Amino acid sequence: MADSKHTEAEIIQARERLARAFTRLSTLVAGIPERIQTLERSRSDANNRVKEAQTLLEKERAINAQRDSLSESAKEQLQIAEERIRDGQSLVSERDASIAELHSTLSSLEKELHKRDMELASSKENVLSLEERMLGLQDENMQIVRQLEELREERDRATAELQNKKSDEDAYALKFTRDERQQLLKTVDSLIQRVDELTSPNGHH
Amino acid sequence: MAESVKVTILGSDYSLRTNDESMLREIAAELDSELKDLQNKLPGKSPTTLAVLTALNSAESLVHNQSHELRETNRLASEIEGLCDELEKVIAGK
């Protein structure tokens, strides 16, 4: 009998526990519709956000596609630019070689110019020397001209003297011996020859 | 409002007061059926013996049912409490 009462008490406790659990469950279940509405709103918001995200993703994909296209175009442009750079580098190398060759030529020309400068200096010295020499020759020529003038005067005097001598000879043909006349003729011939030498083009010294 | 209901059990009439006549008649019919079954199985036994044996069977069934009710009630309470815990977790996890 005691066990039966104890069991009944346990059953009562279990029922109370079950009642509390039902109450708790009822409270929770009562809040479920509101919670479901909240979740529905959240799901709707989430769906909207997902749609917005999908829209943004589509835009991003389109932008990425454009970027890819631009990137491809840029790559092609870059390749063209690289080819131009290579061509330019080749030209630069050729120009460098030409410049080096020009440098070499310029160096050679500078040496040649230096050599010509030296020769010019030497030529100037020679010119000065020749000018000095020419001045000396001019002086000498003046002296020779003066001597020629003197010789002409002497020749004129000798010619006049010869004329006089000849007049005298004609007048006094008998006063000169044969040897004296030959000597006078030799003297005159010698004077004429000397004058001819001085007046000829090859006669200048 | 309790009322007096007349039932017949193992050939004897009993006037009983009850608030639920249909349930009382159902119980009386069940008891009468059990007594008659036992009387058929144990012919010659006195009605008192048959009543005691039927009472023992009913007591055994009551104890068994109480134990079963206790287990099931606790199990159901545990399941509901677990369900409440899960619901609270779900709700808290907003």
Side-chain angles (χ1 to χ4, degrees):
Chain A
M1 195 65 176
D3 288 342
S4 177
K5 287 187 179 294
H6 178 70
T7 303
E8 287 178 359
E10 284 182 340
I11 289 172
I12 290 169
Q13 289 178 354
R15 286 175 179 171
E16 289 174 353
R17 178 187 170 196
L18 182 60
R20 287 194 299 272
F22 265 117
T23 302
R24 183 182 169 198
L25 180 61
S26 298
T27 304
L28 291 172
V29 169
I32 284 176
E34 184 180 354
R35 175 64 180 154
I36 287 174
Q37 287 180 353
T38 303
L39 291 174
E40 289 284 346
R41 285 194 296 272
S42 296
R43 186 177 67 179
S44 178
D45 293 341
N47 284 334
N48 290 333
R49 285 196 293 273
V50 167
K51 287 180 182 177
E52 291 175 357
Q54 285 177 341
T55 303
L56 291 175
L57 184 61
E58 289 298 325
K59 290 181 180 177
E60 187 67 24
R61 282 177 180 165
I63 291 171
N64 283 334
Q66 288 180 346
R67 284 178 181 166
D68 290 341
S69 177
L70 289 174
S71 178
E72 288 298 324
S73 177
K75 281 181 182 177
E76 292 176 359
Q77 295 291 331
L78 187 61
Q79 286 178 351
I80 293 171
E82 286 176 349
E83 289 178 0
R84 287 179 178 172
I85 287 171
R86 281 197 292 273
D87 293 342
Q89 285 176 341
S90 177
L91 286 174
V92 167
S93 297
E94 292 177 0
R95 296 274 174 85
D96 286 342
S98 298
I99 288 170
E101 188 177 352
L102 288 173
H103 274 302
S104 176
T105 303
L106 185 60
S107 176
S108 174
L109 290 172
E110 283 177 348
K111 289 178 182 176
E112 184 70 19
L113 181 61
H114 181 68
K115 181 180 175 183
R116 294 291 173 89
D117 284 340
M118 297 293 289
E119 289 178 356
L120 179 60
S122 176
S123 297
K124 284 181 179 178
E125 289 178 357
N126 289 332
V127 167
L128 289 175
S129 176
L130 288 172
E131 284 177 352
E132 290 177 358
R133 175 71 176 160
M134 188 172 68
L135 289 174
L137 289 173
Q138 283 178 350
D139 291 340
E140 188 177 351
N141 189 36
M142 292 296 292
Q143 290 177 0
I144 290 170
V145 168
R146 282 195 298 272
Q147 287 179 359
L148 180 60
E149 290 295 330
E150 289 174 359
L151 287 173
R152 281 177 178 167
E153 291 175 357
E154 187 178 353
R155 184 192 64 183
D156 291 341
R157 284 196 302 272
T159 302
E161 186 179 356
L162 179 60
Q163 290 293 331
N164 292 332
K165 289 288 184 181
K166 195 171 183 180
S167 299
D168 289 343
E169 185 179 2
D170 291 338
Y172 306 104
L174 295 178
K175 290 183 180 178
F176 290 99
T177 64
R178 186 181 183 93
D179 293 335
E180 287 174 342
R181 287 197 296 270
Q182 289 294 327
Q183 187 65 37
L184 284 172
L185 288 173
K186 284 181 181 178
T187 300
V188 170
D189 289 337
S190 175
L191 287 171
I192 290 169
Q193 185 178 359
R194 192 171 177 188
V195 168
D196 289 339
E197 287 176 358
L198 290 171
T199 56
S200 70
N202 295 327
H204 293 285
H205 297 287
Chain B
M1 177 70 75
E3 57 181 333
S4 179
V5 176
K6 183 180 179 181
V7 295
T8 301
I9 299 173
L10 202 60
S12 300
D13 294 333
Y14 299 92
S15 291
L16 303 173
R17 298 181 68 82
T18 180
N19 292 324
D20 191 344
E21 179 183 353
S22 63
M23 189 175 71
L24 177 60
R25 289 190 182 281
E26 185 180 354
I27 291 171
E30 180 67 22
L31 179 58
D32 183 59
S33 175
E34 289 182 11
L35 284 169
K36 286 179 178 176
D37 287 342
L38 194 59
Q39 189 177 41
N40 290 331
K41 291 177 183 176
L42 300 172
K45 294 293 182 181
S46 66
T48 304
T49 301
L50 294 175
V52 169
L53 291 175
T54 301
L56 285 173
N57 288 333
S58 297
E60 181 187 5
S61 178
L62 176 64
V63 170
H64 179 268
N65 286 337
Q66 282 180 335
S67 176
H68 178 73
E69 182 186 2
L70 180 61
R71 285 198 308 273
E72 287 299 310
T73 302
N74 281 323
R75 185 186 63 78
L76 186 59
S78 295
E79 286 186 1
I80 291 173
E81 287 170 351
L83 181 60
C84 289
D85 291 341
E86 292 294 326
L87 281 174
E88 286 175 348
K89 285 181 182 176
V90 170
I91 292 171
K94 38 186 160 180

